[in-house]
Amino acid sequence: MFDVAVFGSLFLTLFVIMDPPGITPIFLALTSGRPAKVQKQMAFQAVCVAGGVITVFGLLGHQILDYLHVSVPALMIAGGLLLLLIALDLLTGKTDEPKQTKDVNVALVPLGMPLLAGPGAIVSVILAVQKADSVTTQVSVWAAILAIHVVLWLVMRYSLLIIRVIKDGGVVLVTRLAGMMLSAIAVQQIINGVTQVIQSA
């Protein structure tokens, strides 16, 4: 009742897109100046928001797209282009970290969405759920979604300890590697979208 290949593929894709190591410095910047207890609560809230958004699109993604008259290939191409822009920013180190705002719960916006539950993650989940044509693959898909959110929570929950271990240089290295892998995923997603458009024409 479990497909390891499906689980591993989706988990790796979401890991690269949602980028747990890369979100660490952003999380610390947004929650700086707050007590450790509040930071831990915000980590949990951000993961819950992201999980809720991903779940809604996983279950109702096609209905939402149909209502908006948007095809899956169009969403794939748009998502791929957006991912490519994000990947280029990761590779060049030009990411703009949002500034802290004490009057707003940053765990909801921008952490939960769009930083964690962004267009890339949403498209990947919609496509994964669409391709899951059996109970086994469905279980594997939702297990991967749950697993990546647990990883995100753990990374943000223990972000202060992680920073002490890998240092700033380690975060930069992981971010560059994630950018390279994400760019390849983005290009492949664009190719798949264009291919589907040609095949359906």
Side-chain angles (χ1 to χ4, degrees), residues 35-146:
K37 184 178 179 180
V38 174
Q39 285 182 314
K40 293 173 184 177
Q41 289 175 347
M42 295 182 107
F44 182 73
Q45 290 173 348
V47 170
C48 287
V49 170
V53 172
I54 292 293
T55 300
V56 168
F57 275 94
L59 295 173
L60 304 172
H62 276 286
Q63 289 86 337
I64 295 172
L65 294 182
D66 289 341
Y67 178 76
L68 296 173
H69 303 291
V70 176
S71 66
V72 172
L75 190 61
M76 288 175 67
I77 295 171
L81 291 171
L82 288 170
L83 286 180
L84 190 57
L85 291 174
I86 295 170
L88 292 174
D89 283 342
L90 290 174
L91 285 169
T92 57
K94 293 181 180 178
T95 49
D96 295 324
E97 295 184 5
K99 294 182 180 178
Q100 176 194 8
T101 52
K102 297 202 178 214
D103 298 330
V104 178
N105 188 352
V106 295
L108 308 181
V109 178
L111 268 176
M113 184 177 183
L115 286 177
L116 295 180
I122 290 171
V123 170
S124 298
V125 167
I126 290 176
L127 295 176
V129 172
Q130 179 189 18
K131 292 177 183 176
D133 52 3
S134 68
V135 175
T136 301
T137 50
Q138 283 281 356
V139 169
S140 303
V141 164
W142 289 106
I145 293 170
L146 177 61

Side-chain angles (χ1 to χ4, degrees), residues 1 16 22 26 59 69 107 126 134 145 167 169 172 174 189:
M1 294 293 292
V16 172
I26 298 176
L59 295 173
H69 303 291
I126 290 176
S134 68
I145 293 170
K167 308 295 184 184
V172 171
V174 172
Q189 191 162 291

Side-chain angles (χ1 to χ4, degrees), residues 154-198:
L154 289 173
V155 168
M156 289 190 290
R157 169 79 166 69
Y158 297 101
S159 56
L160 294 173
L161 296 176
I162 292 172
I163 286 293
R164 289 176 190 168
V165 173
I166 66 174
K167 308 295 184 184
D168 291 341
V171 173
V172 171
L173 175 62
V174 172
T175 300
R176 296 295 185 274
L177 290 174
M180 184 173 64
M181 295 178 67
L182 185 57
S183 62
I185 291 174
V187 171
Q188 186 62 55
Q189 191 162 291
I190 294 171
I191 292 172
N192 292 343
V194 172
T195 302
Q196 286 193 24
V197 170
I198 294 173

